[in-house]
Amino acid sequence: MIGSRPNNGWAIWLTFALGLLLSVAPMPAFMEIGRPLWLALFISYWTLYLPHRVGMGSAWLLGVAADVLYGTLLGQNALVLTLVAFLILLLQQRLRMFPMWQQSLVLLVVLGLSQLVQLWLNVLSGSPPPPTLPFLLPVLVSALLWPWMFVALRSLRLRLQVN
């Protein structure tokens, strides 16, 4: 693999576009509170398994796109997704060795920290703070979704030989 040309980078950006679409797709009201953190999950996977292709710069660009899409304070989601990418890069060597359930637990902590930073930024920007416990529910849903996300993205990566 060393010295080979990058292959099928479009698949990475296609999954990021899918993450942006899933993050704004309409859901029933009772499910809206537990919407998974799709962008953070996609960034986590690609940063974990292709750190030479996806990193903090990609996370920042995706975060700015999310800011524009959501109409939030410019740079808010960029900061949060960059934090997720940084933490995953920091733990990358260990995370790849962990079994799936431990990866989910680490991701629970990383995404929990990112949601708390998001909550802090919301309060600093003048938005009324939402209740903290329901604000953290997407973190739990995302951590439970991680094994399925991992299997789907891994099969995509291997089938398309993304490197």
Side-chain angles (χ1 to χ4, degrees), residues 8-22 39 42 46 62 153 156 160:
N8 296 330
W10 59 268
I12 297 170
W13 291 101
L14 187 67
T15 60
F16 289 158
L18 177 67
L20 283 168
L21 287 174
L22 286 172
L39 294 174
F42 283 117
W46 291 115
L62 189 62
L153 289 176
L156 176 76
L160 294 178

Side-chain angles (χ1 to χ4, degrees), residues 86-154:
F86 172 73
L87 292 173
I88 295 296
L89 283 170
L90 192 66
L91 300 169
Q92 188 245 356
Q93 294 292 327
R94 289 182 216 124
L95 271 176
R96 290 185 71 167
M97 302 291 288
F98 287 170
M100 192 60 59
W101 67 272
Q102 282 182 331
Q103 284 183 3
S104 291
L105 286 177
V106 170
L107 211 59
L108 180 77
V109 172
V110 167
L111 295 177
L113 286 172
S114 73
Q115 278 294 90
L116 289 175
V117 168
Q118 184 89 335
L119 178 67
W120 179 63
L121 289 172
N122 283 341
V123 170
L124 283 179
S125 67
S127 302
T132 306
L133 199 53
F135 196 71
L136 292 176
L137 185 61
V139 173
L140 180 62
V141 172
S142 298
L144 292 174
L145 192 62
W146 173 250
W148 287 278
M149 176 75 87
F150 170 82
V151 168
L153 289 176
R154 182 174 183 264

Side-chain angles (χ1 to χ4, degrees), residues 70-90:
Y70 304 155
T72 58
L73 186 64
L74 193 61
Q76 181 174 345
N77 287 306
L79 176 67
V80 170
L81 287 177
T82 304
L83 174 69
V84 169
F86 172 73
L87 292 173
I88 295 296
L89 283 170
L90 192 66

